[in-house]
């Protein structure tokens, strides 16, 4: 209790004078750390981090940055939560690092309250009507012990505007735990197009518990991809609100996890207008004692006729002690809707294994190829295109024998382009 | 030395014995055909030769050019020169055919102490080989067998066979599901690969395929054993009289 009280005091001290932050601190104080009786946190054991005396915004640069090679993108670097102007490219017009006094448009949870209470700056991206902004590569790097970092990003894209954002989060623990609670809000006006990819890497002492909140108006198209490469815990809450007709969201996630890592996705897609479509695909490859949980909720409001929602969660287990939990949840109050969900969990297909090996490909390479075959579908859609190769390269680096695979040629062409 | 020597081979799956003592010798350059009724063990024999771990070999030996295959994994056997054309080629979405095949070709070349093919040399070989089975090279940009038609899958199998340059080719009911034109194309592809060093084991249900791939020896497999062996005329006789003839004949002649 005393650790919690001290922590709340620290939050309040740093937030003093800012009503949004103090209100968020109060919300966090009221609810406290989540526990497993809370349905949304049922599979997440938070005990390792509850009693830590967190320092806010400490930490240093990391020793092994992700180094994504994304030509033509604007790099914006945040080191230990602070914008590093010297290491960054010039901010394009409409992009500022400031404090934006808005509250999160989506539903709040403990980690988003915490982020809003702790975040001192916000990366604010405004894309004007019909404007296509340069692709942004937002880099968050933090190394430290018992440090809390709260990156916050608000993306507003006006009618017909287009934006691609890549967020790469690298966390390194240095004699303690790093907790990162990134929130990115995407507000897409009619016919806007937004692509967001969030890649997270970390080690056995890093936790990333973040939120991506999407609001899509008439005809807007928003794609998000979440790829947790590493870290003890990587949790992403995805809140999508389809509030204008024919809006579309595409939510994708891929994780390859071993050791005792835990990967978690809690998503909610709310269809609040007519003829909106949503597509969700989440894949996990789990080895050793890794666990993954997926909770996918689709809400269809009264009157949201013509809704078409497709949800898929697939898990590949490489060890008998890996665990995958999958919970689709549908809540439908309209009558002319199509909502499908499917979930599969299993081992790699022995028939495919035999087929590849019967052609002379060794056991280890075959195993890697099959993981790749399972996972690649999620990476195929990443934007910009250079990110597909980079994401594939990192994935292959994680697979035994994966260095023998060539990420530029291993992926097949899609039948429609062949 | 014989190319392939199978001695007293017994194999079972999930505790059910399927092969009950197979003896079979294939000389270099020879084409052997295995025929037999449903459930006689034809496909099992093919898979056991290729090293499918779903089957348990309880007795017997398989030698290829004097090398014992029994302790070898499927990939080791393939690198030694065994190639099985699958009855049902497996679809593997997410892996490009070209990538997979180059990896396979290079694994075999490396094992033989030959230089591996770079992308250019590999494509050259593809362009030379694809027309022999009338295969559209554009298929190779797609995922392994994914969305291929039945005929495309079988042609792709024979194409892979040609690319991998095996010494012992096992065709597991390659004719099943093919129309007469596709059958001819596939058979021509196989015939083009016949050579004095290479052996073939052509497993088929019907005599029809053997009009195109003319065998030197025909074996009839019944109930996990070779019940009868003869020349290519045996296939015609079977077509005429049916498998029941061999089964009853076998029952009275050898007392098994």
């Amino acid at each position: 209790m005393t650790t919690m009280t001290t922590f709340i005091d620290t939050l309040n001290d740093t937030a003093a004078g800012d009503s949004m932050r103090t209100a968020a601190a109060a919300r966090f104080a009221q609810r406290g750390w989540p526990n497993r009786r809370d349905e949304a946190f049922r599979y997440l054991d938070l005990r390792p981090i509850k009693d830590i005396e967190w320092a806010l915004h400490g930490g240093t640069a990391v020793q092994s940055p992700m180094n994504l090679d994304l030509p033509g993108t604007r790099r914006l670097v945040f080191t230990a939560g602070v914008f590093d102007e010297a290491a960054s490219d010039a901010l394009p017009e409409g992009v500022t690092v400031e404090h934006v006094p808005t509250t999160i448009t989506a539903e709040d949870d403990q980690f988003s309250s915490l982020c809003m209470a702790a975040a001192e700056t916000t990366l604010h991206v405004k894309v004007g009507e019909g404007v296509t902004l340069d692709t942004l590569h937002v880099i968050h790097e933090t190394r430290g012990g018992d440090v809390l970092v709260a990156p916050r990003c608000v993306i507003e894209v006006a009618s017909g505007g287009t934006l691609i954002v890549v967020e790469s989060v690298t966390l390194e623990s240095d004699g303690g735990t790093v907790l990162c609670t990134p929130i990115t809000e995407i507000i897409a006006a009619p016919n806007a197009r937004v692509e967001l990819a969030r890649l997270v890497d970390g080690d056995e002492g890093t936790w990333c518990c973040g939120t991506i909140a999407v609001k899509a108006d008439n005809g807007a198209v928003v794609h998000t991809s979440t790829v947790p490469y590493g870290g003890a815990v990587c949790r992403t809450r995805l809140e999508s609100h389809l509030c204008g007709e024919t809006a579309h969201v595409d939510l994708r996630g891929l994780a390859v996890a071993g050791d005792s890592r835990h990967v978690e996705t809690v998503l909610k897609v709310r269809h609040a207008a007519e003829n909106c479509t949503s597509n969700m695909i989440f894949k996990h490859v789990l080895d050793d004692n890794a666990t993954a949980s997926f909770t996918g909720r689709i809400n269809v409001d009264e009157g949201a006729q013509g809704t078409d929602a497709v949800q898929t969660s697939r898990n590949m287990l490489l060890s008998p002690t890996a665990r995958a939990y999958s919970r689709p949840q549908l809540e439908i109050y309209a009558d002319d809707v199509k909502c499908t969900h499917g979930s599969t969990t299993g081992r790699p297909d022995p028939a495919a294994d035999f087929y590849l090996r019967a052609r002379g490909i060794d056991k280890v390479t075959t195993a890697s190829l099959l993981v790749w075959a399972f996972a690649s579908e999620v990476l195929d859609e990443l934007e910009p295109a250079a990110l597909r190769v980079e994401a594939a390269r990192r994935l292959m680096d994680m697979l035994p024998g994966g260095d023998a695979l060539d990420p530029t040629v291993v992926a097949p062409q899609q039948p429609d382009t062949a | 030395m014989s190319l392939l020597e199978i001695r007293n081979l017994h194999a079972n799956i999930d505790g059910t014995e399927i092969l009950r003592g197979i003896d079979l010798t294939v000389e270099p350059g020879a084409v052997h055909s295995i025929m037999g009724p449903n459930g006689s063990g034809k496909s099992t024999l093919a898979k056991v030769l290729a090293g499918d771990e779903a089957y348990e070999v309880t007795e017997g030996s398989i030698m290829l050019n004097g090398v014992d295959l029994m302790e070898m994994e499927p990939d080791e056997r393939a690198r030694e020169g065994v190639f099985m054309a699958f009855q049902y080629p497996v679809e593997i979405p997410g892996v490009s055919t070209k990538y997979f095949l180059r990896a396979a070709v290079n694994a075999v070349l490396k094992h033989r102490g030959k230089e591996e093919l770079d992308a250019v040399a590999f494509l050259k070989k593809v362009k030379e080989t694809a027309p022999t089975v009338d295969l559209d090279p554009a298929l190779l940009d797609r995922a392994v067998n994914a969305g291929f038609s039945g005929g495309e899958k079988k042609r792709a199998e024979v194409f892979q066979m040609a690319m991998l340059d095996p010494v012992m080719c096992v065709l597991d009911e390659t004719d099943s599901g093919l129309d007469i034109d596709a059958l001819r194309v596939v058979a021509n592809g196989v015939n083009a690969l016949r050579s004095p060093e290479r052996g073939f084991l052509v497993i088929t249900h019907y005599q029809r395929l053997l009009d195109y791939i003319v065998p030197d020896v025909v074996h009839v497999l019944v109930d996990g054993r070779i019940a009868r062996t003869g020349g290519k005329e045996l296939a015609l006789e079977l077509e005429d009289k049916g498998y029941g003839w061999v089964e009853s004949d076998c029952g009275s002649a050898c007392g098994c």
Side-chain angles (χ1 to χ4, degrees):
Chain A
M1 257 335 268
T2 46
T3 330
M4 187 64 177
T5 318
T6 321
F7 181 48
I8 300 294
D9 287 347
T10 315
L11 275 180
N12 277 323
D13 287 350
T14 56
D18 183 322
S19 57
M20 184 200 100
R21 289 180 63 194
T22 48
R27 288 199 301 278
F28 179 75
Q30 194 203 344
R31 296 165 82 176
W33 293 103
N35 63 53
R36 297 172 94 160
R37 286 189 300 275
D38 184 339
E39 269 301 302
F41 291 93
R42 187 161 164 190
Y43 300 107
L44 181 60
D45 184 358
L46 279 145
R47 282 173 299 180
I49 65 166
K50 281 183 182 178
D51 293 320
I52 290 174
E53 291 183 25
W54 296 103
L56 298 181
H57 316 299
T60 58
V62 297
Q63 293 177 350
S64 313
M66 211 181 287
N67 284 337
L68 299 177
D69 182 20
L70 304 173
T73 57
R74 298 243 191 167
R75 285 162 49 94
L76 308 177
V77 182
F78 291 77
T79 303
V82 179
F83 182 54
D84 185 345
E85 210 172 337
S88 302
D89 293 326
L91 294 176
E93 200 187 321
V95 180
T96 51
V97 178
E98 56 178 329
H99 194 65
V100 186
T102 54
T103 51
I104 190 164
T105 45
E107 204 174 296
D108 206 11
D109 81 342
Q110 287 92 323
F111 283 114
S112 58
S113 305
L114 186 56
C115 180
M116 278 189 288
E120 289 186 338
T121 55
T122 297
L123 174 66
H124 192 193
V125 181
K126 281 182 92 154
V127 180
E129 219 168 284
V131 171
T132 299
L133 203 67
D134 286 354
T135 297
L136 301 179
H137 180 193
V138 184
I139 298 165
H140 289 282
E141 294 175 341
T142 302
R143 178 183 174 84
D146 297 346
V147 171
L148 169 67
V149 268
R152 185 152 188 260
C153 178
V154 176
I155 296 167
E156 293 176 76
V157 181
S159 296
T162 308
L163 178 69
I164 300 174
V165 177
V166 177
E167 294 179 338
S168 59
V169 179
T170 307
L171 307 173
E172 288 178 1
S173 63
D174 183 16
T177 304
V178 178
L179 172 61
C180 182
T181 56
I183 300 183
T184 297
E185 278 179 81
I186 298 169
I187 299 137
N191 303 313
R193 283 191 68 98
V194 187
E195 297 266 354
L196 172 74
R198 180 184 284 174
L199 280 53
V200 179
D201 205 353
D203 57 40
E204 67 289 342
T206 68
W207 289 53
C208 186
C209 297
T211 300
I212 295 173
V214 174
K215 196 172 173 196
D217 212 327
N218 286 32
V221 175
V222 179
H223 293 183
T224 74
S225 304
T226 42
V227 187
Y229 286 110
V233 169
C234 206
R235 176 181 206 266
T236 312
R237 193 166 65 96
L238 287 156
E239 293 276 327
S240 292
H241 185 190
L242 296 156
C243 62
E245 285 180 25
T246 69
H248 175 77
V249 291
D250 215 297
L251 311 175
R252 293 166 172 268
L254 169 68
V256 179
D259 302 325
S260 295
R261 291 182 55 207
H262 179 69
V263 177
E264 181 159 292
T265 303
V266 179
L267 76 78
K268 191 187 283 177
V269 172
R270 181 174 162 209
H271 282 258
E274 286 186 24
N275 300 314
C276 290
T277 49
S278 58
N279 186 30
M280 295 143 261
I281 178 155
F282 286 79
K283 289 191 170 184
H284 301 121
V285 180
L286 305 170
D287 203 351
D288 307 322
N289 297 309
T291 52
S293 79
F294 171 83
T295 305
R297 187 177 189 85
I298 303 170
N299 287 74
V300 180
D301 286 4
E302 203 177 323
Q305 306 296 5
T307 289
D308 190 346
V310 181
Q311 185 186 94
T312 310
S313 130
R314 293 184 61 195
N315 301 291
M316 182 186 264
L317 304 182
L318 303 179
S319 104
T321 48
R323 289 280 179 275
Y325 306 94
S326 188
R327 298 189 295 178
Q329 300 170 338
L330 307 181
E331 199 173 316
I332 301 171
Y333 295 100
D335 49 21
D336 178 20
V337 301
K338 210 167 103 188
C339 285
T340 62
H341 64 84
S343 177
T344 58
T345 298
R347 299 183 60 76
D349 179 10
D353 180 88
F354 177 56
Y355 188 80
L356 294 175
R357 293 179 65 203
R359 295 296 176 255
I361 299 174
D362 66 82
K363 203 172 189 165
V364 174
T365 306
T366 296
S368 284
L369 267 174
L370 291 179
V371 170
W372 166 258
F374 174 81
S376 62
E377 183 186 356
V378 175
L379 301 182
D380 282 347
E381 304 284 322
L382 288 177
E383 293 287 350
L387 183 61
R388 288 171 218 162
V389 176
E390 288 292 294
R393 200 182 299 281
R394 288 195 68 81
L395 171 63
M396 286 172 180
D397 283 346
M398 298 172 72
L399 304 175
D403 51 350
L405 310 183
D406 180 348
T408 57
V409 295
V410 69
Q413 289 176 17
Q414 298 305 304
D416 52 352
T417 59
Chain B
M1 183 168 44
S2 303
L3 176 61
L4 180 73
E5 250 192 88
I6 302 172
R7 288 286 161 265
N8 192 31
L9 186 65
H10 290 252
N12 66 52
I13 186 163
D14 301 330
T16 308
E17 189 166 53
I18 311 283
L19 302 183
R20 301 158 185 260
I22 302 267
D23 288 286
L24 180 66
T25 305
V26 179
E27 299 299 331
V31 174
H32 287 231
S33 171
I34 305 241
M35 301 184 73
N38 288 324
S40 58
K42 302 189 298 295
S43 284
T44 297
L45 176 60
K47 287 175 187 163
V48 168
L49 286 175
D52 190 339
E53 284 150 2
Y55 297 89
E56 189 195 358
V57 174
T58 48
E59 246 187 288
S61 68
I62 307 171
M63 308 288 277
L64 182 76
N65 280 327
V67 178
D68 184 5
L69 292 186
M70 210 55 103
E71 295 302 315
M72 289 188 189
E73 305 268 333
D75 48 305
E76 294 176 282
R77 297 182 191 206
R79 294 194 293 269
E80 282 294 328
V82 176
F83 183 99
M84 179 182 77
F86 280 59
Q87 183 179 6
Y88 304 108
V90 182
E91 298 196 12
I92 311 177
V95 175
S96 106
T97 309
K98 217 175 246 172
Y99 183 84
F100 145 72
L101 196 53
R102 194 177 141 204
V105 166
N106 281 339
V108 171
L109 287 175
K110 193 177 169 188
H111 180 74
R112 292 178 184 167
K114 292 186 182 164
E115 201 179 328
E116 295 180 41
L117 299 182
D118 62 17
V120 177
F122 175 75
L123 281 183
K124 186 165 171 272
K125 195 173 161 75
V126 165
K127 282 196 183 124
E128 287 164 5
T129 312
T132 61
V133 283
D134 200 12
L135 189 80
D136 178 3
L139 279 182
L140 304 179
D141 289 322
R142 306 239 303 258
V144 178
N145 295 318
F148 287 25
S149 71
E152 285 169 342
K153 280 181 183 166
K154 294 300 173 78
R155 270 182 280 155
E157 289 292 289
V158 179
F159 169 71
Q160 290 180 25
M161 189 192 287
M163 291 290 291
L164 288 167
D165 191 28
V167 295
M168 185 65 224
C169 304
V170 181
L171 288 90
D172 186 9
E173 299 203 24
T174 297
D175 52 334
S176 67
L178 289 185
D179 62 40
I180 200 78
D181 293 329
L183 184 68
R184 200 174 287 132
V185 170
V186 165
N188 287 343
V190 172
N191 286 331
L193 291 173
R194 290 177 78 153
S195 80
E197 300 81 35
R198 191 173 279 145
F200 287 85
L201 203 53
V202 180
I203 292 170
T204 181
H205 210 72
Y206 301 103
Q207 184 271 334
R208 194 180 62 167
L209 178 67
L210 305 180
D211 285 341
Y212 299 98
I213 305 173
V214 181
D216 301 305
V217 184
V218 174
H219 307 274
V220 183
L221 198 62
V222 176
D223 203 19
R225 290 188 190 92
I226 290 177
R228 187 176 273 252
T229 295
K232 59 178 185 268
E233 62 288 343
L234 178 57
L236 294 167
E237 209 173 344
L238 275 174
E239 186 78 357
D240 209 31
K241 299 181 179 168
Y243 289 119
W245 159 68
V246 181
E247 286 170 58
S248 58
D249 193 51
C250 169
S252 59
C254 65
C256 59

